[in-house]
Structures are given as structure tokens and as C-alpha cells.
Amino acid sequence: MGVNAAGGLSQATSDEGSALAALLAQWHANLAQNLLTAVLTTASVQDKLTRGSSIISIGSIGAERRGGSYGAAKAAVGAWNASLSAELAPKDVTCNVISAGYVADTNFFHGQLSDERRRALVEETHNKRPGTVDDIAQTAYFLASQGARHITGQTIHVNGGAYTTR
């Protein structure tokens, strides 16, 4: 099993000073950090994958909801995953994306998530709790299991129902 879990909110800046240069730097950084890391990591090990292998990439609810350059990069992970699945499924390799919502106890927000924003993110969920690292890990474990061999090319939303509220 391979899990593409690199990524996050880019803090990129530009030395050029113009708003357009800053925007370009932000988009390049988010595409590099959230899409290209998965593409290149997978390409570097693809010839070592055996029958029954699984590629799992970590996406984000931001791909569907107000995600800006970060969300666009995560949406591109989903599109790339569909293409990768079509290529690798005939070799009995599954490829899926776990699209996470708010997960507590990570450094995703770089320590800048206010209590008010945290409460709002939890309130958006149907089960009224934040996600946990274990929620994501258990989903990855299932997707890599024999019970999930016919699940490929999919994006699995692990967000307590938050995706469906908007």
C-alpha cells in the first residue's frame, strides 16, 4: 500500500512584490505541495507495485468547497486518481482518494484555527464532532484490504457529513 499524504496549506510568497506574482507563487506552491507530490511519489514506485497493491491519496473537502488554489490542487488529485485507476486497475492495483474534512490534532491550520472557527467546522458535521487521525487511518486500512478490491477510482468523503451540508 502507498499513501500519498503530503500537502497542506501553502505559505508561499513572492519576492517580486506584485499581487499577480504572489497569486502565481501561491498557485504553484499549492499544486506542487498537494498534487505533484502525489504524482511524482506514485510514479517513482509504480514499477514496484504488485497485484493487490493499493494507492491511497489524501484529498480534502476543500476540493468541493471554497478551496481556492489549495482546493483546486486537491480537486486535481481526484481527477489524476481516476486516470491512475484506469491505468492500474487492470494490474489489480486499486487507486482511491480519502477526502478529509476537519481533522483535529493535526498541524493543518498551523496553530491559527480560532476556537470560533473550530466550533463552526464541527457544527457543520452531522455527527457534531471533529474527525480524528484514526478516522482517516481506518479508512485507509479498509481501502487497502481485501474487502475493498472492487473499490477503485473513487473519492471517499470522511467528514462526518459536512460535505453534504453546503
Side-chain angles (χ1 to χ4, degrees):
M1 168 176 70
V3 178
N4 294 310
L9 292 173
S10 173
Q11 305 296 319
T13 59
S14 171
D15 293 336
E16 196 171 309
S18 75
L20 193 56
L23 181 64
L24 179 61
Q26 179 185 41
W27 276 81
H28 277 166
N30 273 299
L31 287 169
Q33 190 172 343
N34 293 289
L35 172 63
L36 295 178
T37 54
V39 171
L40 295 175
T41 298
T42 300
S44 73
V45 300
Q46 195 165 327
D47 63 336
K48 295 172 180 56
L49 297 173
T50 59
R51 295 186 69 72
S53 294
S54 299
I55 300 294
I56 300 166
S57 299
I58 304 300
S60 172
I61 197 171
E64 292 88 10
R65 299 175 59 189
R66 306 178 308 263
S69 59
Y70 167 79
K74 289 299 191 178
V77 168
W80 165 72
N81 178 72
S83 176
L84 187 66
S85 174
E87 178 184 347
L88 296 180
K91 300 173 184 174
D92 193 30
V93 175
T94 61
C95 304
N96 292 291
V97 175
I98 297 172
S99 181
Y102 170 59
V103 176
D105 300 323
T106 68
N107 195 31
F108 180 80
F109 291 102
H110 306 287
Q112 298 182 18
L113 185 65
S114 70
D115 289 342
E116 180 180 333
R117 180 68 177 134
R118 182 192 179 287
R119 279 191 296 277
L121 290 171
V122 170
E123 187 59 33
E124 287 180 350
T125 67
H126 295 181
N127 58 4
K128 305 303 178 211
R129 72 167 180 85
T132 66
V133 172
D134 195 53
D135 291 329
I136 305 305
Q138 290 296 322
T139 303
Y141 181 80
F142 168 69
L143 289 172
S145 75
Q146 286 301 309
R149 295 310 309 156
H150 198 55
I151 301 172
T152 193
Q154 302 301 306
T155 296
I156 311 297
H157 295 273
V158 181
N159 57 40
Y163 171 71
T164 60
T165 63
R166 293 197 183 208

